[in-house]
Amino acid sequence: MDKIGHRYVIQYFYLKGLSPSGSKSALDSTLGESAPSYAMIKNWVAQFKRGRTSCEDEHRTGQQNEVTTPETFKKIHKIILDDRRLKVRELADIVGLSKSAIHRILTENLDMKKLSARWVPRLLTIDHKQHRADVSMNCLAMFTKKIKTKFLRRFITMDEKWVHHYTLETKQQSKQWTSRGEPASKKAKTTLSAGKVMASVFLDARGKTRKSSKTVDIEKKFVLQ
């Protein structure tokens, strides 16, 4: 349901005598996440109380006709594809339209939304993936040939964690505009920096944990602090 449809439903509930909170509960139970916000419902109920009868957008003086033209959509889409991290305010300044018009074009006409980058351990190349597959096949072959318990006793797993000296980019900062069905962008958890140390932990089949000297030093620092 589009925003005009929401307004008609709000008007219907208002004429029935429902309060804004009652209208919000009824819309949430029917529409779920696509239901309008409480602030929007409260605003339109106030307008209906003041005597407004139309649910359509009122014509604004000086409103630009090119807002709804396909050429404007293509222009905005091209700008977004060149820099997917642009804010609505920045895009409005570039195109010369209001922020509300830009947001409406992005979400309704271009069917786009801003998503945070999905964290992955590393951005692997084709060679990296093939090497990991080869190592896994070799380990599986040795596992089937030798006695399983003997093989597992010699197998040591290892995990590592970068401890940074500064705060990395947040998920909010990594948001980019994407079209419906387009996957979110990816970024590696570890980035090049001068201020970081590596914490490493090793674990064998018997549950014995072994730590690198750097990991022990890091833990000592945290305890002392």
Side-chain angles (χ1 to χ4, degrees):
M1 181 182 293
D2 59 13
K3 61 180 183 180
I4 304 297
H6 289 158
R7 296 171 188 175
Y8 279 110
V9 176
I10 295 170
Q11 186 182 43
Y12 171 75
F13 286 144
Y14 164 72
L15 295 175
K16 285 189 65 177
L18 265 69
S19 63
S21 58
S23 300
K24 175 62 175 172
S25 300
L27 286 165
D28 286 343
S29 63
T30 305
L31 301 179
E33 294 182 357
S34 62
S37 65
Y38 177 76
M40 174 185 172
I41 296 172
K42 188 176 179 180
N43 174 57
W44 278 94
V45 168
Q47 293 192 49
F48 294 140
K49 286 183 178 180
R50 291 194 294 266
R52 179 165 181 168
T53 58
S54 174
C55 296
E56 302 291 334
D57 290 325
E58 295 179 347
H59 179 73
R60 299 175 184 176
T61 58
Q63 188 174 11
Q64 301 181 21
N65 294 328
E66 67 271 17
V67 173
T68 56
T69 61
E71 289 75 15
T72 305
F73 302 158
K74 291 179 181 179
K75 181 180 180 181
I76 293 174
H77 194 208
K78 184 179 184 304
I79 295 174
I80 285 294
L81 293 181
D82 291 338
D83 185 1
R84 291 175 178 261
R85 295 196 177 193
L86 275 176
K87 296 180 174 62
V88 172
R89 171 179 49 80
E90 297 171 337
L91 192 57
D93 293 338
I94 295 172
V95 182
L97 301 176
S98 65
K99 291 189 294 185
S100 59
I102 293 295
H103 188 270
R104 183 172 61 253
I105 291 172
L106 288 170
T107 57
E108 297 180 9
N109 301 105
L110 297 179
D111 198 15
M112 302 183 78
K113 58 182 177 180
K114 220 171 187 181
L115 296 177
S116 301
R118 180 167 58 88
W119 287 111
V120 293
R122 281 175 179 75
L123 299 177
L124 300 178
T125 64
I126 298 297
D127 293 337
H128 292 155
K129 294 178 181 179
Q130 184 59 51
H131 177 68
R132 292 192 175 195
D134 294 339
V135 171
S136 298
M137 293 302 295
N138 291 336
C139 289
L140 182 60
M142 289 188 290
F143 180 77
T144 54
K145 289 180 181 179
K146 297 181 179 181
I147 300 174
K148 296 180 180 180
T149 55
K150 184 178 180 181
F151 175 80
L152 292 176
R153 284 178 182 175
R154 300 180 60 186
F155 206 92
I156 298 176
T157 60
M158 179 262 192
D159 195 9
E160 58 189 21
K161 171 68 176 179
W162 281 113
V163 180
H164 291 261
H165 296 174
Y166 65 97
T167 303
L168 295 174
E169 182 183 59
T170 64
K171 289 181 70 65
Q172 185 71 21
Q173 293 170 333
S174 71
K175 283 189 174 182
Q176 299 183 17
W177 289 103
T178 57
S179 301
R180 181 180 295 277
E182 185 179 2
S185 61
K186 297 179 181 179
K187 61 182 297 183
K189 276 191 174 182
T190 55
T191 56
L192 295 176
S193 69
K196 62 181 179 181
V197 291
M198 173 70 74
S200 304
V201 178
F202 300 85
L203 190 70
D204 60 19
R206 289 168 289 185
K208 292 185 178 180
T209 305
R210 308 169 189 176
K211 303 174 184 177
S212 66
S213 58
K214 286 187 177 181
T215 304
V216 175
D217 292 340
I218 293 170
E219 291 180 348
K220 286 181 179 179
K221 289 180 181 179
F222 279 112
V223 171
L224 292 175
Q225 291 175 354

